Amino acid sequence: MDRRQKKTRAAIFAAFSALLAEKSYSKITVQEILDTADIGRTTFYAHFETKDDLLKELCRELFEHIIRSTVDSTHTHGLETDGGAPQSVFLHLLQHLQENDNNILGLLSGENNEIFLRCFKDSLNGLIQSQVASLKRNQEIPRDFLINHISGSFVEMVLWWIKGHRRQTPAELDRYFRAVMRPVLEDSD
């Protein structure tokens, strides 16, 4: 993708995010996106087939950025151990969510949240899969079940945190989450 295409795509995402902050997804028209982004219809459809495709791509990019930077040990928000890696991948992820880049918390808790939550959970599955591979875990529990359980629990915890007006710090939430997950991951032997 060349620089001009990237700039146009960024304008579309920015316009769409701004509209999502104002109204529900179902009430947003492609024409409003075009007007806000100051682009033509042909340009929009050169990038996205439908408004749904735009939403899915916005989700994918938002969460991919967060997940990618979570596993990047150089991007730690000061949360480092002696080895330079984040203390906890979940803590690092919560730190990103707290920063609320691109109004991600609003998108997760808003009227359109089903699509965002599904995308968030799918993105988490990949991250958790890489983490579970190196952890001691109960061998009687199928790996895919465990990954689904952990990501579902994490998403529900984030929703609980948002509904509670984010009173807990990311460190507190990480501590709660790891305490609850510890028995699930330990061997039953």
Side-chain angles (χ1 to χ4, degrees), residues 17 29 42 46 58 68 93-94 144 187:
S17 294
T29 66
T42 304
L58 176 69
R68 190 173 47 248
L93 182 54
L94 288 164
D144 60 336
D187 245 338

Side-chain angles (χ1 to χ4, degrees), residues 70-149:
T70 297
V71 296
D72 177 5
S73 63
T74 63
H75 188 81
T76 61
H77 301 276
L79 306 170
E80 296 181 8
T81 61
D82 293 336
Q87 296 172 357
S88 159
V89 70
F90 297 113
L91 176 57
H92 191 83
L93 182 54
L94 288 164
Q95 189 76 11
H96 269 282
L97 291 172
Q98 184 181 45
E99 289 174 5
N100 202 18
D101 291 338
N102 298 312
N103 190 32
I104 199 159
L105 295 177
L107 296 174
L108 286 171
S109 63
E111 184 179 320
N112 313 302
N113 73 350
E114 261 186 59
I115 296 166
F116 288 99
L117 290 173
R118 185 175 38 246
C119 185
F120 184 35
K121 188 170 180 284
D122 289 347
S123 298
L124 276 172
N125 284 344
L127 176 66
I128 292 167
Q129 186 169 345
S130 69
Q131 297 297 307
V132 168
S134 64
L135 294 175
K136 181 180 174 184
R137 66 180 182 89
N138 184 329
Q139 297 299 317
E140 294 177 11
I141 301 172
R143 178 187 209 91
D144 60 336
F145 177 87
L146 181 63
I147 291 166
N148 184 66
H149 178 72

Side-chain angles (χ1 to χ4, degrees), residues 34-36 59 71 76 146:
L34 302 177
D35 293 343
T36 305
C59 290
V71 296
T76 61
L146 181 63

Side-chain angles (χ1 to χ4, degrees), residues 9-45:
R9 194 173 170 91
I12 294 170
F13 281 153
F16 190 46
S17 294
L19 289 166
L20 283 169
E22 295 173 10
K23 58 168 86 176
S24 72
Y25 171 74
S26 62
K27 295 195 187 313
I28 297 172
T29 66
V30 170
Q31 188 60 51
E32 288 174 307
I33 298 167
L34 302 177
D35 293 343
T36 305
D38 195 24
I39 61 167
R41 189 168 292 278
T42 304
T43 301
F44 177 85
Y45 287 113

